[in-house]
Amino acid sequence: LKWAVKLNDTFEMTNTYVELGDYFYNTKDDKEALFNYLKAKDTLKEDTSSQNHKVIDARIEDMKYKIGKDFENTVKEYEQNRN
């Protein structure tokens, strides 16, 4: 991730955030998983590839069901602490 950021490689940054999200998802750290999926979505804003957006949106949607009623508060917390 460090080198992807340094090189401003949007594709690699996005992939790294998705992979980190998947790691946290599998270790049952739902909040960190969602934060990383949201970072991936933010990073990808400039990219027009709808396939990448669909993959990330599907993971975020999955987190919505997994986190349940705390989903909106978790998204707000992410937005407040973003960079």
Side-chain angles (χ1 to χ4, degrees), residues 26-65:
N26 290 327
T27 60
K28 310 232 185 295
D29 189 343
D30 297 337
K31 182 176 176 180
E32 283 301 317
L34 179 58
F35 281 3
N36 277 281
Y37 295 143
L38 292 170
K39 285 179 193 175
K41 186 173 179 119
D42 285 346
T43 303
L44 197 60
K45 280 184 181 173
E46 300 83 32
D47 189 331
T48 58
S49 170
S50 61
Q51 183 61 34
N52 290 333
H53 286 284
K54 287 178 184 177
V55 167
I56 295 167
D57 288 342
R59 283 179 166 88
I60 292 171
E61 189 67 19
D62 185 40
M63 293 307 301
K64 181 186 266 187
Y65 291 105

